[in-house]
Amino acid sequence: MATAAFSISCHSGAKEKVAFNVAPDLIIINGKVALPGVQTNFAQALASKGGKITKVGPNDEILQSKGDLTVVIDVKGKTVIPGLNDSHSHNIRGGRFYNSELRWDGVKSLKRALQMLKEQADRTPPGQWVRVIGGWSPYQFEEKRMPTPAEINDAAPTTPVFVLFLYSKGWLNRAGLRALKIDEYTVALPQTRYEKGPDGKLTGAVLAEPSPDLLYKIISQLPSLNEAEIVNSTAHFFRELNSFGMTSFIDAGGGGHKFPENYAGTAHIARAGEMPIRVSYYLFPQNIGKELEEFKGFMHSNKISQNGALDLDHGYELEGAGEFLVYSAGDWENFLAQRPKLAARRNWRQELKEVLTLLVTKKWSFRLHTTYGETISQVLDLLEEIDKEHGLKGLRWAIDHAETIKDEDLQRIKTLGGGISVQNRMAYAGEYFVSRYGKTAARTAPPLRKILDSHIPLGAGTDGTRVSSYNPWHAIYWMVTGKTMGGALLYEGSNKLTRTEALQALTNGAAWFSQEEMLKGLIQAGMYADFAVLSADYFTIPEEEIKNLSSHLTVVNGKVVYATGDFQSFDKAPDEIIPSWSPVRYFGGFQLK
């Protein structure tokens, strides 16, 4: 067994020698271990101890440190990458709802999607709903189209159903309309609409024009899982994320997702010392017009960077405020409707300045949901004003999404010390963007290459689980190929990223946004032992196969949290999924086949 002697000082001032076991807890051998830098830079093996990587190198060199208790895993030539880290997701909310949702993520045909809907409607008990809440695009289907209201009603004639497409539109079947007591005389919320046919009757379609408030409202009216089911749901969703090699995510809050009550599932797992993934989260206000008071309340009761996980360093931490800071400055990404205009909204600037001033003076990090270049320019005007008054230096702040950011605003962001977090929303709605704004505008929406070349911190993510799938490989596929999930080519070669650059953006690049770039996202000594052994070689497989990648072995803090295939013996059997009617019990989550 590998040991070493260290001198330590006692309270008396005397020194005594104590033998410590310095043998690794875990060794990975016979791998293609991706090292920092170009994609030709690989090692064979790595060792970890106490949750951190201690050494990377050749098999024989790493095995020399093996001790009697060291676990050695032969990965048989498979590719090992740093654990994926989603820079912008809604995965705490996703875990809260996972067991209650029918996921169309990855489904190859509308015919199959509707069959799944029918099967789930037949098993769903009275009082519950079938809900498909985003994560899909009609262009992923062989049929290349949306479902019709008639098809949804045929699949589920008596069980209430709500199907959501991004935050653009949704469908209620007849049973759903009855359950919510919606008829031809029901008044929709501002900038939304219940669609009517030529006969004046409701079709069941619900439209955001461009506000998604009505879609949020419908989701909020659906029955919730109970407390035990939410904890179980969250645990299974985190396992689902682990199955793709995800070891961290940054959560951006979300509408209809209140803190702290709706965070209970994740908080329970963290307090129990059972976190299989590292979570950094931002707080999203819920009370329109009272956001400033809400943030003051958050600050009174919560501390930035306080770790809420029992056994995992940086396991469950509050990072700051966002992504919506005030609703009057909302910049909805609905490409089926007209772009929202801040200038037409009363008091948006004053309300946003008050909240930003509070955050800056209290040294809270923040992020801003900004889809359109017009919005970003106006927000940067305000940030430059606040920087002169209070100073942004030392704060981590970010622009989220940035699909149509202007070239001249990149330098402004860099000067102010901000970062840009991009998501693959265009992979799910790119066809609609092209239809509204044209192919030329779509070629740099967002300008990935220009952001990277500007040396602005760049993090990538999914924005899952509603406006895209939570599968991080779809984000990487989009950055590398420039394509939507339907195969439409959006980007020229000049706006695509190399495989190494895309991986960097979804690992160490993303870590900048939670102030953890010195801790995770690279396979090198001193970094967290968070990594994944892939189902195929990311660096050599054809580009079209990138979106089909998954993990066969996922390690967080030096411990196996997910294993399948050749590594099944290292896996821990999860608790049974509850409730018994959960769609996840029958279909799973993401549909790989």
Side-chain angles (χ1 to χ4, degrees):
M1 179 181 295
T3 59
F6 296 90
S7 293
I8 62 174
S9 296
C10 303
H11 291 296
S12 63
K15 292 185 177 181
E16 61 180 78
K17 289 189 175 180
V18 180
F20 290 100
N21 175 18
V22 295
D25 302 319
L26 176 68
I27 286 177
I28 299 294
I29 61 170
N30 291 325
K32 183 179 179 180
V33 181
L35 301 177
V38 296
Q39 61 193 53
T40 55
N41 194 17
F42 300 100
Q44 283 183 307
L46 67 87
S48 74
K49 184 174 180 61
K52 290 191 175 182
I53 295 170
T54 55
K55 198 167 187 179
V56 184
N59 285 332
D60 54 358
E61 184 177 315
I62 301 301
L63 284 170
Q64 287 177 4
S65 62
K66 176 182 176 296
D68 294 340
L69 300 179
T70 303
V71 175
V72 178
I73 302 179
D74 184 346
V75 299
K76 303 176 182 179
K78 292 185 180 296
T79 299
V80 184
I81 63 166
L84 299 179
N85 179 13
D86 193 325
S87 72
H88 180 111
S89 73
H90 302 274
N91 287 332
I92 295 176
R93 185 180 65 189
R96 173 182 157 209
F97 289 111
Y98 182 60
N99 282 5
S100 65
E101 293 179 348
L102 176 66
R103 302 301 306 182
W104 280 357
D105 306 46
V107 176
K108 302 298 190 295
S109 73
L110 179 58
K111 179 180 178 181
R112 174 57 182 157
L114 291 168
Q115 179 60 36
M116 293 168 69
L117 188 64
K118 181 181 187 308
E119 291 177 19
Q120 186 57 36
D122 291 342
R123 72 169 60 93
T124 299
Q128 280 293 344
W129 284 60
V130 179
R131 57 197 93 186
V132 180
I133 309 297
W136 59 277
S137 164
Y139 292 96
Q140 78 190 39
F141 299 143
E142 295 170 359
E143 298 88 344
K144 304 295 183 186
R145 67 174 179 85
M146 302 275 199
T148 66
E151 288 171 328
I152 293 172
N153 280 299
D154 287 346
T158 59
T159 305
V161 169
F162 181 56
V163 176
L164 177 72
F165 170 61
L166 313 183
Y167 278 131
S168 298
K169 67 187 300 184
W171 295 265
L172 289 161
N173 68 345
R174 285 188 290 267
L177 290 169
R178 287 194 298 270
L180 296 181
K181 298 180 180 180
I182 297 170
D183 60 25
E184 287 76 11
Y185 303 100
T186 303
V187 178
L189 295 173
Q191 300 184 75
T192 71
R193 179 165 60 94
Y194 295 111
E195 183 183 73
K196 295 180 181 179
D199 59 358
K201 302 294 184 181
L202 295 176
T203 66
V206 183
L207 306 176
E209 295 185 336
S211 170
D213 287 351
L214 186 54
L215 302 175
Y216 274 126
K217 181 180 178 181
I218 291 171
I219 294 171
S220 72
Q221 293 175 296
L222 306 185
S224 176
L225 296 172
N226 64 36
E227 183 178 344
E229 290 167 344
I230 288 173
V231 172
N232 180 273
S233 176
T234 301
H236 277 276
F237 184 58
F238 288 173
R239 177 177 172 81
E240 173 85 345
L241 299 178
N242 290 153
S243 76
F244 295 109
M246 192 183 296
T247 59
S248 295
F249 65 83
I250 302 174
D251 190 275
H257 190 58
K258 298 179 181 179
F259 181 84
E261 52 264 47
N262 293 150
Y263 289 62
T266 298
H268 177 95
I269 294 169
R271 288 193 299 266
E274 298 173 351
M275 287 293 285
I277 196 164
R278 301 183 200 269
V279 179
S280 301
Y281 62 96
Y282 285 74
L283 295 182
F284 191 125
Q286 302 297 315
N287 299 308
I288 297 175
K290 298 182 179 179
E291 297 92 342
L292 181 63
E293 290 76 12
E294 198 166 351
F295 278 119
K296 288 179 179 178
F298 290 152
M299 290 176 175
H300 178 75
S301 304
N302 302 277
K303 293 182 179 179
I304 294 292
S305 299
Q306 185 171 352
N307 186 29
L310 181 64
D311 66 338
L312 191 62
D313 188 30
H314 286 255
Y316 181 54
E317 289 191 354
L318 172 61
E319 291 299 325
E323 62 183 300
F324 266 47
L325 298 181
V326 296
Y327 282 80
S328 58
D331 182 30
W332 305 111
E333 69 285 353
N334 183 359
F335 303 142
L336 292 181
Q338 292 290 337
R339 175 180 62 82
K341 296 181 180 179
L342 293 188
R345 299 178 187 173
R346 185 180 179 184
N347 295 332
W348 77 266
R349 198 178 193 280
Q350 181 60 33
E351 290 179 358
L352 183 56
K353 183 175 182 179
E354 289 175 349
V355 169
L356 282 170
T357 299
L358 174 68
L359 297 172
V360 171
T361 55
K362 296 296 184 180
K363 304 300 181 184
W364 271 45
S365 297
F366 61 89
R367 55 199 311 159
L368 293 144
H369 175 108
T370 44
T371 300
Y372 299 100
E374 293 82 355
T375 304
I376 295 170
S377 295
Q378 293 176 81
V379 167
L380 289 175
D381 291 343
L382 182 55
L383 285 173
E384 287 171 341
E385 184 178 309
I386 292 172
D387 183 49
K388 290 179 181 178
E389 295 172 358
H390 302 285
L392 293 176
K393 186 176 181 180
L395 271 182
R396 293 289 170 99
W397 67 272
I399 292 293
D400 278 317
H401 313 312
E403 274 84 358
T404 68
I405 188 170
K406 299 174 183 177
D407 289 354
E408 58 266 29
D409 285 337
L410 295 178
Q411 183 58 49
R412 298 172 75 190
I413 292 171
K414 183 177 181 180
T415 299
L416 290 170
I420 299 177
S421 174
V422 298
Q423 291 69 46
N424 60 316
R425 305 189 309 182
M426 288 289 285
Y428 283 80
E431 289 87 353
Y432 297 105
F433 185 98
V434 169
S435 178
R436 180 167 294 277
Y437 299 109
K439 291 182 178 180
T440 300
R443 287 173 185 161
T444 54
L448 300 173
R449 174 58 55 193
K450 287 180 180 179
I451 296 170
L452 200 63
D453 290 348
S454 296
H455 302 290
I456 295 169
L458 173 66
T462 66
D463 206 7
T465 60
R466 296 179 180 176
V467 299
S468 74
S469 175
Y470 50 79
N471 184 341
W473 291 106
H474 282 195
I476 291 177
Y477 169 82
W478 158 73
M479 290 185 286
V480 170
T481 67
K483 293 181 181 179
T484 70
M485 301 318 300
L489 181 62
L490 298 176
Y491 306 149
E492 298 174 336
S494 59
N495 196 40
K496 299 176 187 178
L497 301 188
T498 68
R499 299 189 195 205
T500 299
E501 291 167 338
L503 184 62
Q504 162 71 12
L506 236 159
T507 52
N508 187 248
W512 183 91
F513 295 81
S514 55
Q515 305 184 66
E516 298 172 300
E517 69 271 23
M518 302 303 293
L519 295 171
K520 62 187 179 184
L522 299 172
I523 296 182
Q524 64 183 31
M527 288 284 188
Y528 286 144
D530 299 353
F531 55 87
V533 180
L534 300 182
S535 58
D537 184 10
Y538 165 66
F539 298 99
T540 61
I541 58 174
E543 286 185 348
E544 286 300 317
E545 294 180 16
I546 292 174
K547 60 179 178 288
N548 300 323
L549 283 168
S550 62
S551 176
H552 280 187
L553 181 78
T554 304
V555 174
V556 174
N557 207 42
K559 299 176 182 178
V560 175
V561 295
Y562 175 83
T564 190
D566 292 340
F567 313 110
Q568 185 70 47
S569 62
F570 295 98
D571 197 36
K572 295 181 180 179
D575 292 337
E576 186 178 40
I577 293 169
I578 55 175
S580 60
W581 53 267
S582 168
V584 182
R585 286 175 66 109
Y586 301 92
F587 301 112
F590 187 90
Q591 304 296 297
L592 285 169
K593 296 182 180 180

